[in-house]
Amino acid sequence: MRKLHPYTPLTAAICAVVVVLLAHKLVVSLTALGIAALLAAFFRTARGPLFAAVLLAIPTTVGLFLMHAPFGQHPVFGPLTSDGMQLAGLLSLRLFGAAAIGLTLGSFVDGDRLMRAMQEQFPAKIVYVVGSTIRLYPMARARVETLHQMFTARGVNTAGVRGKLNFVMPLIVGLVDDAAQRARPLQRTGIGDPGPRTVLNPVANPVGQRVLRWGMIAATCAAIVWIGVS
């Protein structure tokens, strides 16, 4: 997977999510879930994102069933209706399929290589914002581990909901302080200056992958037209 240009899995993830959301068909959603499951079975990096998609799908499914199940035209049991539950299930599978395929394909995007690839094509400020967003989760996780060690050493209870609330304010203040400390060195590097950037170790972008990406975009556009016509 190191040979993949970061734009390739990113394009695949975006195209797949667009197709699943616009198709709104059971077979498309199930196909997306099947592909995500196969990726998770063969690649370790895709397992965490698939699990995250499952966690996101649980409250979404509950909410959709509460919104649609009681308000259909054909009651089957108490306030529940068959057409309402069918619509809620279809919507749940569509969102679950889009999240699963998008997150699993996106897991193959190397953040550092993506930043190096973007530096040659996008303004430095946009590259910095994207890079900061990608690195926000690992930075927050590392700070939470540090806070956990500190609280444990001080004898502070970190179990339960009340214990977890002790992390909120120090985590927010720490992340804001980190951002402020990075601002001055960034100004010295000329991040706001106009002009192109050069990369010491550029990311290879083979012709085959460029053709593949344009092919995926063309196929997605064709699918959108076909969905609109049908």
Side-chain angles (χ1 to χ4, degrees):
M1 288 299 174
R2 291 289 298 177
K3 295 182 179 180
L4 278 178
H5 190 279
Y7 288 172
T8 302
L10 182 61
T11 303
I14 294 173
C15 291
V17 170
V18 169
V19 170
V20 172
L21 291 179
L22 291 181
H24 192 39
K25 296 182 182 297
L26 179 62
V27 63
V28 177
S29 301
L30 292 177
T31 301
L33 288 173
I35 294 173
L38 285 175
L39 290 173
F42 287 100
F43 300 98
R44 185 186 299 271
T45 56
R47 294 172 187 171
L50 180 60
F51 181 69
V54 173
L55 293 180
L56 290 173
I58 293 173
T60 303
T61 301
V62 173
L64 288 172
F65 269 87
L66 290 175
M67 286 189 292
H68 295 286
F71 303 105
Q73 301 297 325
H74 307 287
V76 289
F77 180 74
L80 301 180
T81 60
S82 59
D83 51 336
M85 289 190 294
Q86 183 179 1
L87 176 60
L90 185 60
L91 290 172
S92 301
L93 281 174
R94 183 177 69 161
L95 294 176
F96 183 26
I101 194 67
L103 291 175
T104 51
L105 287 173
S107 66
F108 296 102
V109 179
D110 187 290
D112 292 332
R113 300 180 78 235
L114 177 62
M115 294 302 100
R116 284 191 280 128
M118 292 181 63
Q119 284 178 22
E120 299 179 282
Q121 300 172 330
F122 296 92
K125 291 182 180 180
I126 295 179
V127 177
Y128 173 71
V129 170
V130 174
S132 299
T133 304
I134 292 175
R135 292 184 175 90
L136 182 61
Y137 174 73
M139 289 172 58
R141 185 174 180 178
R143 184 164 288 275
V144 167
E145 292 178 357
T146 302
L147 290 171
H148 184 270
Q149 294 174 1
M150 182 185 70
F151 286 148
T152 303
R154 293 173 54 189
V156 178
N157 182 19
T158 58
V161 176
R162 188 172 182 179
K164 296 297 185 291
L165 290 176
N166 293 326
F167 290 89
V168 176
M169 189 58 66
L171 177 61
I172 295 174
V173 173
L175 292 176
V176 171
D177 182 65
D178 287 344
Q181 302 220 5
R182 288 195 301 270
R184 191 169 297 173
L186 282 170
Q187 291 176 354
R188 294 197 188 101
T189 61
I191 189 172
D193 297 341
R197 263 58 176 178
T198 57
V199 181
L200 179 62
N201 186 16
V203 180
N205 190 10
V207 177
Q209 292 194 43
R210 293 202 297 269
V211 173
L212 176 61
R213 291 197 295 270
W214 282 111
M216 288 189 289
I217 294 173
T220 302
C221 294
I224 292 173
V225 173
W226 180 78
I227 291 168
V229 172
S230 60

